[in-house]
Structure formats: C-alpha cells, structure tokens
Amino acid sequence: MKYICLGYYDEKAFGQLSEQERTAFMDECFVYDDVLKKNGHYIGDEALQLAETAATLRYQNGKVAITDGPFAETKEQLGGILILEAKDLNHAIQIMSKHPGVKGGPFEIRPAADLTELVNESERRRSVATEK
C-alpha cells in the first residue's frame, strides 16, 4: 500500500544552521532514502521551495481567492513529500521513524487514496453525457 509522508520543518531554524550542519543533515536523509530504495519501500519524493514562494487558492463567494504563501500560520512548514510502499500504517511508521528527517520536524503519514474506480465512474458518466 502507498503512504504519503509529509515532512515539516522550521525554515528559520534550518536557515540558522551552518552550511556544514545543513549538508550533513541532508546527506544523512539521502543515505536513508537509499536504504528505502534498496528495500523496495521508496516510490518517490519531492522537496518544496520555501513557503514564501507558495500561493494558496480558496473558493470564496463564487470565485477563486488567491493568498500569497501557505495558509497555516505556524513555525513549521511543509518541506516535501515522500511516497512510501509499506504493508500497513504500522509498517510505514516503523520505516519512517528511522528517517533522519524526523529530527528536523514532524512527518505526517497518510495512506494514499486509490481513486481509480471513482475516475472510471466519472469517465463513464461524462462519456454518456457527451453522447447525448
């Protein structure tokens, strides 16, 4: 089963680390990612640019409203995602609890939703609607 692991960190605190501390931390994370790959648990990941580069979209009063940056007012910002293959949530927790990234901030782990059947049903409905 696929699990989405959302990694959060304090951008300000991370920025205050020395270059040597930052690179050592990142290298430690990449080493563990290699272990995940070797063991067949790693599906993919993406790092995110700083929160200040983000835009948040929200539907309000019949229109899309755009806000600069993330909506949440918190010290910890989403830093990236990792997609993991695990037997169940407990297995995903065991795997990610060993990830050095947890030292930099919390990881939220959620099972990925399989939308295949919903997409197929929608496609069938839409194809019937266009045939009329």
Side-chain angles (χ1 to χ4, degrees):
M1 181 167 198
K2 289 182 189 172
Y3 288 86
I4 309 302
C5 305
L6 306 170
Y8 294 85
Y9 75 114
D10 182 334
E11 289 178 352
K12 184 177 178 184
F14 190 75
Q16 292 174 345
L17 296 175
S18 71
E19 183 68 25
Q20 183 179 4
E21 290 171 317
R22 281 195 301 270
T23 57
F25 175 75
M26 296 305 296
D27 288 349
E28 190 178 1
C29 290
F30 294 144
V31 165
Y32 191 70
D33 289 348
D34 288 342
V35 171
L36 294 176
K37 291 173 188 174
K38 179 182 164 205
N39 292 328
H41 298 299
Y42 178 93
I43 294 177
D45 67 4
E46 287 294 334
L48 300 174
Q49 293 185 14
L50 295 176
E52 67 189 27
T53 67
T56 298
L57 306 181
R58 179 170 275 99
Y59 193 74
Q60 295 175 329
N61 302 322
K63 296 180 182 177
V64 175
I66 304 166
T67 307
D68 289 339
F71 180 72
E73 292 188 21
T74 177
K75 280 191 345 184
E76 294 167 337
Q77 300 296 329
L78 182 61
I81 63 169
L82 188 145
I83 304 172
L84 185 70
E85 182 68 35
K87 293 181 282 192
D88 55 31
L89 182 58
N90 287 330
H91 187 219
I93 291 168
Q94 288 173 358
I95 292 168
M96 289 308 296
S97 67
K98 296 174 186 164
H99 198 293
V102 174
K103 296 175 193 171
F107 269 82
E108 178 181 340
I109 302 172
R110 290 192 200 182
D114 181 358
L115 299 181
T116 305
E117 190 53 39
L118 287 173
V119 170
N120 291 341
E121 289 174 14
S122 176
E123 287 173 350
R124 284 192 290 277
R125 286 190 302 272
R126 289 179 281 142
S127 72
V128 168
T130 56
E131 291 175 4
K132 292 181 181 181

